[in-house]
Amino acid sequence: MADYDYDVLIIGSGPGGYVAAIRAAQLGLKTACVESRETLGGTCLNVGCIPSKALLHGSELFEEAHDGTLAKFGVKTGKVELDLAVLQGEKLGAVKELTGGIAFLFKKNKVDWLKGHAAFKDAHSVDVAGKTVTAKNIVIATGSSVTPLTGVAIDNDKGVIVDSTGGLALTRVPDHMVVIGGGVIGLELGSVWRRLGAKVTVVEFLDALLPGMDGDVRKEAAKIFKKQGMELRLSTKVTGASVKGKKATLTLEPSAGGAAETLEADCVLVAIGRRPNVDGLNLAAIGLELNARGQIETDHEFRTAVDGVWAVGDVIPGPMLAHKAEDEGIAVAENIAGLTGIVNHAVIPGVVYTMPEFAGVGLTEEAAKELGEVKVGKFPMMANSRAKTNRESDGFVKVIADAKTDKVLGVWAIASVAGTMIAEAAIAMEFGATSEDIAYTCHAHPTHSEALKEAAMGVTGKAIHI
Ligand code: FAD
Ligand code: NAD
């Protein structure tokens, strides 16, 4: 057998890559991880999940102090002012600690961090900064980046038309921010800047926000964001943009076609989706082809069509989520080590970290109905004692079960802590729970999670508090 520098070489150190590297090293494999960024952790830790959550948290605190929520609970604050530089500093602090944490874990687990861009030479060797590195197994975990919008040029340095990376780093609160795309990024970052004082208009191509989520959730989302003061322009597309000094002028049209109009903004956030990072990998050298969406296809063990080359995370099909990438990272390392690594792609929760949070796992009601008859239980947060006490009563929990077997097919929640609540639903579904299993599980009182129990009780018409 040929001698290789490593048993496993991973390209990319995001949640897919760094987790794969640590798990492979734990399993006794000689492992290296190549990263072209200065720091480890990929999109998620550097310019995604972590910095966005820092700004979401800080802006929630600001709004609570500013809009009288704290005062309502007797907390006197005096004049409330925003120091954006401090907030941005706190965000950078969290990013530094967490990316540094991965460097520490690499050292602890003896994973070699190779700095530079990796490009294939053949299926067992890559070029990293002019040096050839060989490995028996190579895992592509190169992630994704922002999808550009034709006619709308992004310039993060100028700060007028930005992508999510620029939208996380603004040094002043815009007067009017137009968000192109009413998906996860648009609503999370739009919420941040609205709370900090910007007028926010969301332009969405489709007739509802948050594609992929349950229909009821999408309808409720529009009501909630409107109530919070966002202007929503649904069924509308942006056809062009021009920038003069610090102002952008956008041209809008109804998605179905029609009369054009213009909209002015001092900041435009482009958030219309992300696409896999494959440029510069020299996939031609190994004869690996992409699917029609530019993704790398794998089998359920995360093997690509090329022997010895594997792939995980945003670069392969499935939701572009950090926890999905992490689970695939663990599974690919276990498969390479000869164990059985599995990811159940039917049970991957998704969470939008606005206030309230929007979360779901499993099938939407629409998708479940396509497979057969369903029963649905729905419980409003307004009737949940904890949510009511905390004055955060927007939202509901919805449980969708198979009408014949009662097996839970999907759970959707809008609640201040929906992201935490959805983990219980995911565990229940992993264990093949029925709605009755959830309904007859004792839930602590008073908790938001009681709304899940009540929604499950509602599947068979037994909810108590409504
Ligand atoms: P990535 O994290 O993209 O990492 C890939 C790494 O590979 C990058 O660091 C890149 O520099 C490196 N790389 C690429 N090509 C090469 C090469 N040829 N050589 C060397 N290195 C290379 N998901 C959630 O689950 N929850 C959230 O709250 C959340 N918030 C988000 C907020 C924002 C603003 C954004 C943009 C994304 C968010 N996501 C969130 C999505 C999440 O960040 C991604 O799903 C996740 O990072 C994907 O992990 P990955 O390992 O596949 O790739
Ligand atoms: P998205 O797919 O969530 O939303 C993009 C939106 O843009 C869609 O609603 C789409 O209909 C709309 N759109 C597309 N083209 C348009 C156009 N020309 N004009 C107007 N609207 C248009 O994508 P995103 O918000 O950019 O996020 C990218 C990825 O990052 C997502 O897959 C998401 O999973 C991930 N992410 C996750 C989280 C989280 O888990 N909390 C947070 C941020 C990002």
Side-chain angles (χ1 to χ4, degrees):
M1 196 181 72
D3 275 339
Y4 298 109
D5 298 328
Y6 293 97
D7 296 316
V8 190
L9 179 127
I10 292 146
I11 307 177
S13 72
Y18 87 73
V19 168
I22 292 172
R23 186 73 191 114
Q26 282 175 347
L27 290 165
L29 300 169
K30 190 172 181 223
T31 307
C33 183
V34 192
E35 175 54 60
S36 54
R37 234 181 255 276
E38 290 291 302
T39 48
L40 298 172
T43 304
C44 179
L45 274 69
N46 290 282
V47 289
C49 327
I50 296 306
S52 60
K53 269 72 231 173
L55 295 187
L56 281 157
H57 181 64
S59 65
E60 276 168 27
L61 295 176
F62 176 72
E63 187 173 55
E64 283 182 5
H66 199 254
D67 75 357
T69 305
L70 292 186
K72 211 158 67 181
F73 283 87
V75 182
K76 288 191 180 173
T77 49
K79 188 166 182 244
V80 177
E81 282 175 274
L82 174 69
D83 190 333
L84 184 55
V86 171
L87 172 55
Q88 290 288 18
E90 198 61 19
K91 175 200 81 178
L92 291 175
V95 169
K96 193 165 176 229
E97 282 167 31
L98 286 157
T99 55
I102 309 296
F104 165 80
L105 290 173
F106 271 14
K107 263 197 197 133
K108 182 181 158 200
N109 287 283
K110 301 193 173 46
V111 173
D112 287 347
W113 171 7
L114 309 181
K115 297 183 184 180
H117 182 93
F120 279 98
K121 295 185 89 170
D122 60 48
H124 296 283
S125 60
V126 293
D127 175 275
V128 183
K131 202 172 154 238
T132 300
V133 186
T134 63
K136 186 171 181 201
N137 297 281
I138 297 180
V139 181
I140 303 172
T142 48
S144 65
S145 18
V146 178
T147 307
L149 178 58
T150 314
V152 184
I154 288 163
D155 186 344
N156 285 335
D157 291 335
K158 216 169 176 189
V160 180
I161 301 186
V162 297
D163 61 16
S164 55
T165 301
L168 286 165
L170 299 180
T171 51
R172 64 173 191 88
V173 178
D175 293 325
H176 183 202
M177 171 181 261
V178 173
V179 176
I180 310 180
V184 194
I185 292 181
L187 293 170
E188 287 189 0
L189 290 187
S191 293
V192 164
W193 295 107
R194 183 200 56 73
R195 285 198 280 257
L196 297 180
K199 174 185 174 202
V200 174
T201 305
V202 177
V203 182
E204 166 57 48
F205 185 83
L206 300 173
D207 62 359
L209 301 171
L210 295 172
M213 289 207 142
D214 182 85
D216 273 349
V217 171
R218 297 178 72 188
K219 264 190 230 140
E220 194 65 18
K223 281 191 209 152
I224 289 173
F225 289 115
K226 261 193 220 156
K227 193 169 87 180
Q228 293 180 354
M230 271 191 196
E231 191 172 322
L232 305 181
R233 302 290 308 269
L234 303 178
S235 305
T236 305
K237 63 183 174 192
V238 173
T239 51
S242 62
V243 177
K244 243 192 204 156
K246 293 275 171 202
K247 285 252 179 290
T249 305
L250 297 175
T251 323
L252 314 185
E253 266 178 35
S255 301
E261 59 176 308
T262 58
L263 189 60
E264 294 217 328
D266 56 341
C267 185
V268 176
L269 169 67
V270 181
I272 59 162
R274 294 177 62 81
R275 58 181 189 184
N277 288 332
V278 286
D279 289 350
L281 268 177
N282 194 22
L283 293 179
I286 57 171
L288 185 57
E289 294 194 353
L290 305 175
N291 69 15
R293 302 188 60 198
Q295 299 159 322
I296 296 174
E297 291 281 349
T298 68
D299 64 11
H300 68 279
E301 292 183 329
F302 307 103
R303 289 174 200 276
T304 69
V306 176
D307 211 26
V309 180
W310 312 67
V312 295
D314 280 9
V315 79
I316 73 169
M320 288 181 163
L321 296 173
H323 41 283
K324 176 248 187 199
E326 286 187 44
D327 285 7
E328 290 177 348
I330 289 173
V332 79
E334 294 183 347
N335 288 326
I336 288 171
L339 306 175
T340 307
I342 294 172
V343 177
N344 179 4
H345 285 101
V347 183
I348 294 180
V351 183
V352 185
Y353 297 90
T354 46
M355 181 54 74
E357 295 176 341
F358 296 74
V361 61
L363 299 179
T364 61
E365 185 176 344
E366 297 77 24
K369 276 182 174 160
E370 277 178 23
L371 301 178
E373 215 185 313
V374 298
K375 279 191 178 168
V376 175
K378 206 169 156 186
F379 188 81
M381 294 312 292
M382 207 157 40
N384 171 271
S385 58
R386 186 62 180 276
K388 214 169 162 60
T389 308
N390 289 3
R391 299 290 186 247
E392 37 189 42
S393 51
D394 275 340
F396 57 78
V397 179
K398 176 172 172 179
V399 173
I400 303 151
D402 183 297
K404 286 194 196 81
T405 64
D406 192 36
K407 191 172 170 189
V408 176
L409 303 174
V411 176
W412 296 88
I414 306 176
S416 59
V417 290
T420 304
M421 288 162 69
I422 209 70
E424 175 190 343
I427 290 190
M429 288 175 67
E430 271 295 337
F431 281 83
T434 58
S435 79
E436 192 180 48
D437 290 327
I438 299 177
Y440 286 101
T441 298
C442 190
H443 285 65
H445 175 77
T447 58
H448 295 79
S449 294
E450 286 173 289
L452 173 57
K453 176 188 166 91
E454 290 265 11
M457 291 169 87
V459 170
T460 44
K462 291 186 297 208
I464 298 290
H465 293 94
I466 188 154

